[in-house]
């Protein structure tokens, strides 16, 4: 079979990223232009500012991605942009740019679900990984357990009923005064603490999660405890949310119709060092754990180009009226 090059385009939140990936697994380039310093002073992503910055960056980032990969537009087989979920204005920039390229170059347009992209980050890190497997998907906007039945076939088994786990990390960081983006800062400070505070966990009969109770308990403790140790609070928060994740993952792995021992992590929060360490311990119980390289955990276009490749070879093609869908679901 001939090599297939996909051009991934990602602009769903605060990273403008373009990548060239060969056959879904080999990254020829992955340029990430982050807006974090721009949004830092507001304590979070300002959607309108994100859209404007994507517009300014997109052509430059695309040019760099092609240059770095040593290819030109004519070598690309498919244009594969994220079309959801995400901030609608931000998504529209990458998607419109992709549609213009598809039209002008007469190349197929193949839309990618951003969550599918996060899952595909594992295919880049582990060349041998193939479905089926169970994915613990944890990002700033989503938290769900996905049964990855095939490269383009997914079943969501459980999800958060309120906050995404990344949102909870960011909120905890803000409450204890660490600033944005909070996840990496909580991760760092927690390493200096011990989990001395007992935080309430939610137990549902099914495979859903809830993180708002833990978040509120952190806020209340922070307000009401004199001389509170912030490192210990961060460590306690990480421990409580990780226990929830692992409890549900174990329930999934014991379901009678799950015939895999493989668990992959995905999404920005899968960069968390405590969560990675605790999931790795499951290998002692006979599970195989995969987790993306740190630089592929957070938003990037290489993962989108990888998922785009699998959509392309499965025959998916989109028309030029493909729209951005802010709350796009996996299945
Ligand atoms: O996947 P991502 O880059 O964007 C979405 O698609 O949502 O995830 C961003 C989230 C943010 O909430 C950020 O605080 C969190 O991932 N994050 C982390 C870490 N690195 C990023 N959370 C905990 N520990 C980290 N090391």
């Amino acid at each position: 079979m001939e090599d297939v090059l996909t051009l991934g385009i990602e602009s769903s939140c605060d990273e403008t990223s373009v990548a060239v990936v060969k056959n879904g697994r080999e990254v020829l380039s992955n340029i990430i232009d982050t807006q974090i310093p721009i949004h830092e002073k507001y304590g979070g992503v300002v959607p309108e500012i994100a859209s404007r910055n994507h517009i300014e960056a997109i052509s430059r980032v695309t040019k760099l991605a092609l240059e770095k990969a040593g290819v030109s537009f004519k070598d690309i087989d498919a244009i594969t942009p994220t079309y959801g979920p995400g901030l609608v204005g931000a998504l529209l920039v990458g998607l419109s740019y992709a549609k213009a390229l598809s039209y002008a170059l007469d190349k197929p347009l193949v839309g990618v679900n951003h969550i599918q992209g996060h899952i595909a980050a594992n295919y880049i890190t582990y060349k041998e990984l193939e479905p089926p497997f169970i994915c613990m998907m944890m990002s700033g906007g989503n938290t769900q357990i996905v049964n990855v039945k095939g490269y383009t076939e997914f079943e969501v088994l459980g999800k958060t009923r309120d906050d995404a786990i990344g949102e909870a990390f960011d909120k905890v960081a803000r409450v204890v005064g660490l600033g944005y983006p909070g996840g990496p800062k909580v991760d760092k400070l927690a390493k200096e603490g011990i989990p001395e505070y007992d935080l309430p966990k939610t137990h549902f009969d099914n495979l859903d999660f809830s993180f708002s109770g833990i978040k509120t308990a952190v806020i209340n403790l922070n307000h009401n405890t004199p001389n509170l140790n912030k490192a210990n609070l961060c460590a306690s928060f990480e421990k409580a949310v990780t226990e929830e994740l692992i409890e549900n993952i174990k329930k999934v792995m014991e379901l009678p119709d799950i015939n895999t021992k493989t668990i992959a992590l995905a999404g920005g929060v899968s960069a968390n060092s405590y969560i990675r360490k605790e999931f790795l311990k499951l290998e002692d119980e006979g599970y195989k754990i995969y987790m993306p390289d740190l630089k592929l955990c957070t938003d990037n276009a290489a993962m989108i180009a990888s998922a785009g490749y699998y959509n392309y070879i499965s025959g998916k093609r989109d028309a030029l009226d493909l729209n951005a869908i802010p709350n796009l679901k996996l299945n």
Side-chain angles (χ1 to χ4, degrees), residues 152-220:
T152 59
E153 196 190 343
F154 308 95
E155 183 189 7
V156 177
L157 301 174
K159 59 183 181 321
T160 181
R161 294 192 183 179
D162 39 58
D163 297 342
I165 187 169
E167 238 177 306
F169 265 95
D170 292 337
K171 184 71 192 211
V172 167
R174 199 177 310 165
V175 165
V176 300
L178 297 176
Y180 165 87
K185 293 179 176 166
V186 171
D187 189 348
K188 192 158 169 244
L189 187 59
K191 285 187 185 139
E192 296 165 23
I194 47 159
E196 71 162 311
Y197 303 108
D198 212 13
L199 298 170
K201 286 194 293 284
T202 319
H203 303 278
F204 293 121
D205 289 340
N206 65 6
L207 298 161
D208 283 349
F209 299 98
S210 164
F211 298 107
S212 72
I214 299 179
K215 183 189 75 182
T216 307
V218 169
I219 295 170
N220 291 340

Side-chain angles (χ1 to χ4, degrees), residues 198-308:
D198 212 13
L199 298 170
K201 286 194 293 284
T202 319
H203 303 278
F204 293 121
D205 289 340
N206 65 6
L207 298 161
D208 283 349
F209 299 98
S210 164
F211 298 107
S212 72
I214 299 179
K215 183 189 75 182
T216 307
V218 169
I219 295 170
N220 291 340
L221 263 174
N222 190 57
H223 282 311
N224 303 331
T225 317
N227 304 320
L228 174 118
N229 182 312
K230 292 186 173 182
N232 289 357
L233 187 60
C234 288
S236 309
F237 168 75
E238 279 192 351
K239 180 167 179 282
V241 292
T242 307
E243 280 172 4
E244 270 205 33
L245 297 172
I246 288 184
E247 187 180 308
N248 275 9
I249 275 287
K250 280 189 175 175
K251 276 201 242 166
V252 167
M253 300 314 279
E254 283 159 15
L255 291 175
D257 53 341
I258 297 298
N259 300 315
T260 174
K261 288 278 195 187
T262 303
I263 302 166
L265 308 188
V269 180
S270 63
N272 183 270
S273 51
Y274 180 80
I275 293 176
R276 290 171 88 94
K277 195 176 78 194
E278 291 303 302
F279 267 87
L280 269 181
K281 287 183 187 164
L282 292 178
E283 295 212 325
D284 298 339
E285 296 176 33
Y287 299 113
K288 178 82 189 117
I289 307 296
Y290 290 89
M291 42 189 80
D293 276 346
L294 285 180
K295 63 176 186 310
L296 293 172
C297 288
T298 44
D299 292 349
N300 67 88
M303 67 183 198
I304 302 300
S306 171

